[in-house]
Structure formats: structure tokens, C-alpha cells
Amino acid sequence: MKLGITIVSHVPEVATGLKKLLKQVAADVSITVAGGTNDDNVGTSMEKILTAFSTNQAEEILAFYDLGSAKMNLEMAIEMTNKKVHLYDAALIEGAYTAASLIQAGVQLDEIEKQLKPLLIKD
Amino acid sequence: MTLTVTNLTNWMNDFAKKIAINKQLLSDLDTPIGDGDHGFNMDRGMKAVIDKLKDEPKDLTQALKTIAMALISTVGGASGPLYGTAFLEMAKKSTSSNDLAELLTAALAGIEKRGGAKPGDKTMVDVWDAVIPEIKNHSLTQEKINNAVVATKDMVAKKGRASYLGERAIGHIDPGSQSSGYLFSALLETEGIL
């Protein structure tokens, strides 16, 4: 599929747990995760995010995150990757779930972004 | 006011020592208004910085980049991308200037862009913003650094974990401002920079 999803969370289990939830409605969507620091403690890792981008099978990635440093590390990783990545300040679970279901249904990016709009809760 | 590999390395060694001595205090400041890990995160980051600088970078740009990458990949919390971006912007600027005030001005612009914070938001930006003009005027003192750090105490946080607490964060010094205070104290004590 053209569009994929990357989930960034401070906690590895939150990231993998959300992927499990999304896979129920988006079996064919490439979903990669970056949870926790390099030693799997609470925090985020730019290196893990870059790996999540590079291992994602999709051409374009929709990225969702939980808190604070997750966004900053995401932005730095976006500056360093060659892939096209869209970053959304959406509520993590609802936003990623919405995007995953719509990608699975073959919906285009502009329409997905319209549906994400009411879910934007962070800046 | 010229930054060199040697005085930068001395500055970072002194900063790392201050962080190591005060890591518990920094994390304690971070406990009521954050996630309680600032001191330990910074200590891990600065230990990595000192370790990497032992490889003797060939020039100022490489030295600043080495510091940035060590912080970005080891700190884990928000201070990793923020301090990392500061040194990365200094590395970029250092290809055209080795003037400390110019480098720090580029660093502050990077921190503001990365974190989206402005002066008055109860973040490290408050200390950098207050200190840089003093460095430019050759008038930086420990007292001015302390005043900038303490000024964050009565602010309401607009960014970072403390922003979830609203007015409840009033009365607490911002931990990132405190660690930035140590950075500039170390700068003040490093011979041959200011």
C-alpha cells in the first residue's frame, strides 16, 4: 500500500499494544513502531524512529505520537529520513485508528486528513 | 569570545561534572512538575558526550556535532532533542563563525524552533534568552545566571510536562532552566572563552 503508519510512544508496550489494536482493522497496512528509549526505558529515541521509518513498507508514512519529546524526536527524524512523512498532532489512539481504517479502505490522504482534523488536540 | 575545540571540551567537562553532582537535585526539581528524570537523563547524556569527545574531534564543527549526536541518542527525554538541537545549530553556524555569542544565538533559535517555546513559557529558553545578551556585553555573572533560573519559579508553564499542571507549577523552578544555569556557570568558569 502507498500509505503506512508509524507510532511513537514513550513506552514500548503502548506502541506495540496500539499496533495490535490497529491490525484488527488494517491487516494489510504497514505499521511500524518506535516505543521507549534505546534501552527500552520510558522515553523516545530518534534512532528507533528512523528505523521505524526505514522498515515501513509504504512509500508515505502517517506518524502519530503520545507526548512531548516524542514529537521533537519525530521532527528530527523527519529531517533526516528520505521518506515522505506526515506528522499529526492527533489524539494518539483515535488518530492512528482512524488513519489505519481509512488506509485499509483505500481512502486517499486528503480525505484521511479531513477526518483527522477533529482529533487534533496537541500543538 | 572565540570557541575552540579545547575550550569547548573544557566547558563540556565542567558542565558534565556539575550535572553529575546535581543529578538528584535536577530530578527532584522535575518530580513535582515533570516526570522526575531530568537529572538522570542529562547525566547519561553528558557522560556519553565526554566519552565521545575523547576521540579528539578534528575541528570545532565536528566537536559540536559530536556533542549534539551524543545528546540526541542517549538522553531519552525532551532535553535530548532540545540540547541536541542547540549544539547541532552551533555546529552548522560554526562553519562561518567561531564567535561564542553568535553560536549561542543560533543555538537558542534552534531550541525555540524545536520546542515551540518562547520567553516566559517556563522553559530553558528563559535562561538562554536572559544570558546571551550578557555574554555579548561581556557582563555575565553567576548572580545573573541564578536570577534567570529563579525567575522561572513564578511562571506558569506553557510547554513541556509542567504545562499539564497549569497554575500548580507556580512555585517550582523549571528543571531545564536549572540545567541550563549549570551550562552557563560552567561557561563562566572555563578559562579563555568569555
Side-chain angles (χ1 to χ4, degrees):
Chain A
M1 281 190 170
K2 190 175 174 251
L3 301 175
I5 287 178
T6 291
I7 297 159
V8 182
S9 170
H10 277 61
V11 179
E13 293 86 349
V14 171
T16 51
L18 179 53
K19 177 177 174 172
K20 190 174 175 183
L21 180 68
L22 302 190
K23 274 290 173 188
Q24 274 203 310
V25 289
D28 305 318
V29 179
S30 182
I31 300 169
T32 50
V33 302
T37 58
N38 289 339
D39 46 7
D40 287 335
N41 284 315
V42 177
T44 56
S45 150
M46 192 194 64
E47 288 160 24
K48 277 192 177 178
I49 298 171
L50 277 173
T51 305
F53 288 164
S54 63
T55 54
N56 199 296
Q57 308 289 318
E59 293 164 31
E60 271 181 58
I61 296 169
L62 286 71
F64 298 89
Y65 67 94
D66 56 6
L67 299 165
S69 71
K71 183 179 187 179
M72 290 188 252
N73 273 322
L74 251 172
E75 286 174 336
M76 282 200 290
I78 289 171
E79 287 165 22
M80 290 186 189
T81 185
N82 296 322
K83 280 210 176 167
K84 187 158 192 181
V85 181
H86 307 273
L87 170 62
Y88 299 103
D89 299 320
L92 175 61
I93 295 176
E94 289 82 351
Y97 193 88
T98 300
S101 345
L102 294 174
I103 294 170
Q104 180 70 40
V107 175
Q108 299 297 304
L109 183 65
D110 56 343
E111 188 56 39
I112 295 174
E113 291 190 337
K114 239 181 247 172
Q115 298 222 29
L116 284 175
K117 248 195 188 134
L119 299 172
L120 303 183
I121 55 159
K122 304 174 268 203
D123 63 2
Chain B
M1 282 237 298
T2 302
L3 199 60
T4 64
V5 174
T6 306
N7 63 25
L8 172 66
T9 305
N10 292 340
W11 175 23
M12 288 302 111
N13 279 324
D14 190 9
F15 180 43
K17 268 185 215 152
K18 289 193 190 318
I19 292 291
I21 293 167
N22 294 294
K23 62 183 174 192
Q24 186 64 53
L25 177 98
L26 286 171
S27 289
D28 288 348
L29 284 176
D30 195 26
T31 301
I33 59 169
D35 46 4
D37 59 4
H38 185 55
F40 306 120
N41 284 344
M42 285 302 292
D43 187 49
R44 193 170 55 240
M46 285 313 296
K47 287 206 160 76
V49 165
I50 298 313
D51 197 43
K52 295 278 181 197
L53 285 176
K54 283 184 186 145
D55 295 341
E56 294 181 6
K58 64 175 171 38
D59 57 29
L60 184 60
T61 303
Q62 204 204 349
L64 289 163
K65 210 170 179 177
T66 299
I67 296 167
M69 294 320 290
L71 291 171
I72 290 166
S73 50
T74 56
V75 171
S79 38
L82 290 167
Y83 278 102
T85 299
F87 283 98
L88 205 55
E89 290 304 315
M90 285 167 81
K92 284 185 205 163
K93 187 77 190 172
S94 69
T95 56
S96 63
S97 169
N98 57 12
D99 177 76
L100 181 68
E102 280 186 41
L103 295 170
L104 289 173
T105 301
L108 173 57
I111 295 169
E112 290 182 307
K113 180 179 158 269
R114 181 68 64 212
K118 297 182 296 295
D121 286 352
K122 198 183 181 93
T123 72
M124 64 194 289
V125 166
D126 290 304
V127 171
W128 286 66
D129 183 63
V131 161
I132 291 171
E134 302 290 351
I135 291 172
K136 265 184 206 159
N137 296 334
H138 305 275
S139 55
L140 185 65
T141 61
Q142 186 56 48
E143 194 189 356
K144 285 173 179 169
I145 297 170
N146 293 346
N147 289 345
V149 171
V150 172
T152 64
K153 197 169 176 176
D154 294 323
M155 295 176 185
V156 177
K158 303 275 168 47
K159 289 283 165 187
R161 293 294 176 90
S163 64
Y164 294 95
L165 292 168
E167 295 198 345
R168 289 173 197 86
I170 292 176
H172 299 277
I173 288 174
D174 168 58
S177 295
Q178 182 68 67
S179 62
S180 291
Y182 296 141
L183 177 71
F184 292 115
S185 296
L187 180 69
L188 201 58
E189 290 164 16
T190 305
E191 281 180 38
I193 301 193
L194 291 177

